[in-house]
Amino acid sequence: MLHRRISQFFFIYLLALGLLLLFKYIFNLSDYVIPGPLDIHHTATLFFSRYLRDGLNTLSVAVVGHVLAVILATLVAIIGSRGNLIGSLIKTAAYNLQAYPIVAVAPVIFILLGDGLVSRLLIAAMICYFPLLLSFIGILTEPVADIEHFYVITGRMRWQLEVKIRAFENIGKLSTVIAGSATLAMVGTIVAEFIGANAGIGYSLRIALYQSNIAKVLVALFLIGIFNSLYLTLLEGIGYLVLKKLKIQNGVMS
Amino acid sequence: MHLFFRLILLVTLCGCCLLPAGGCGGPEPEKEPVHLVYRLKWLYNISVIGDLYAEEKGFFARQGLQVDIKPGGPERDAIKELEIGRSQFGVASADQVIRAVAKGSPIVVLAQLFQANPLQWIYRQGKQPIQSPADLRHRIIGITYGGNDETIFRALMAKYQIRKDELTLFGVRYDYTPFYQRKVDLWPVYRNAEGIIISDKLKKGGEKVNFFNPDTFGIRFVANSVITTRQMIQNHPQTVRKFIHALIKGWQQALDPVNADSALTMMARFDKDTPAALLRQQLMTTRALMIPPAGKNFGWINAPAWKQSADIMLAQKLIPAPVRTDDILILEKIGGKI
């Protein structure tokens, strides 16, 4: 799985780079506008290890932010899936809050919490939190009639059981949603670093753009792609293992 | 086969028609462009008053030019736009130009707008005034990592042998809160733009401010200059002359105290967020930073300052090899006095 995803990323990256170089040579653009292969290689040699550390820093924040967002979204979605006033209020608030662009909210977060780790974590969590929440609410409010009917008729249905049934029956969807939001967590962390933080690959990107150094940007983008692929593969792997375990348990039970 | 030859003939004819010069009709001189795009370095603020004035007062139109003045911004780079062909003229700072030329960009400088760099550091007047770079020791200095203020400040540190451990550098963005909260002692600002606004805010709060200007201590790092491409100069010298003539006239008149009211009324339409009183102060400060030394015309290019800018960048390894700045400063070569 990892091999396939990384090779797919390599293919896309090299294709994009090739198109960029084609554009450069067709229009005879200088290395300032689009760096040549030698310039990219030279920059990669000089900055790869530093950007690798920055990328790892970003990835670690993205992972923690993502985990926090998943936990929070699960808790809020359970409350939100109840058909009461609080539930509908949470749902409305989630839809409305999602409409606010993070680039407008981020500066306020940096003012309140400073430009350290907490702000980056919060922004990363915020960016992936709302899509997660909405998906979770959607999944947890959708009845699994075949199974739930029995418990409702026998009067044994409790809200905890309802959540368990719906989560179990939609475990594939949940796993896909969680893996999909990993990219958002990565994007959120990079955006946070770009806007106001003082560490990470987003911060390095910001400096590279200040210096109009596109070669550095390309190196950073390469590493972001690699780290993103790694994280996605990890999540997909976990999802696969969970599904496999559940299927085995199911098989044993039946 | 007959169809095949007809197809070849059709393609050849189309090719002849599409070729701009050197096709079937033989070489034709390129027409002087009338519609031009002028990409500024930053958003509309006081630092572009002369550019806007030239357009508003019809100086470009009188030269037979239609100029579309487009605002710049943090992610907009006039040099890249010039090379791609989306703009014909632009504004860039010396560090951008030198960096680009070091990477083979065919950019030339037509005029230097700021004679003194407006990038200075604002600080509160306290018990220990800053009278020399040595007084910066043990203070917290804001710099934009990767920005030209970092380059200027590091050059100052090198010149006055201030070690890294003798002061604290604080990475800044567009949010001034750390300065207002006194977490940072000196904050980089454009003296003629945000410098006026921040000092006004602090004065209202009863605080007196001052500005630390590296230029005073021998760090000459050139700011905004008007640029174009070598190709533009070679192919359309008349257009370049007309453009720069109208632009310089716009700047001269906008900065002339006689036209202050008219220039400020115009500016207020573009910069709606700055109160009129502050715009007036900004204009006065801009004038002081832009008026060339006696005997020099507006737009005069300070060649030694350009050389120093390139030397500073080389010393800080921001460019891989020396750049001959004399080759890119070409005001004199297109007619000298305008």
Side-chain angles (χ1 to χ4, degrees), chain A residues 30 32 194-195 197 203 212, chain B residues 77 83 99 103 145 173 175:
Chain A
S30 73
Y32 180 74
F194 194 87
I195 295 171
Y203 179 62
S212 288
Chain B
D77 186 333
E83 268 205 61
R99 241 187 264 268
K103 291 200 166 188
Y145 284 108
R173 302 286 169 102
D175 167 36

Side-chain angles (χ1 to χ4, degrees), chain B residues 273-303:
Chain B
D273 297 328
T274 310
L278 291 187
L279 272 178
R280 193 168 287 278
Q281 283 183 52
Q282 287 184 331
L283 180 62
M284 282 162 60
T285 312
T286 305
R287 192 182 293 136
L289 294 163
M290 283 193 170
I291 297 296
K296 304 288 182 192
N297 292 306
F298 190 91
W300 173 66
I301 296 174
N302 185 345

Side-chain angles (χ1 to χ4, degrees), chain B residues 314-328:
Chain B
L314 184 67
Q316 292 182 27
K317 295 180 181 165
L318 295 172
I319 47 173
V323 167
R324 282 176 51 86
T325 48
D326 284 344
D327 294 346
I328 51 174

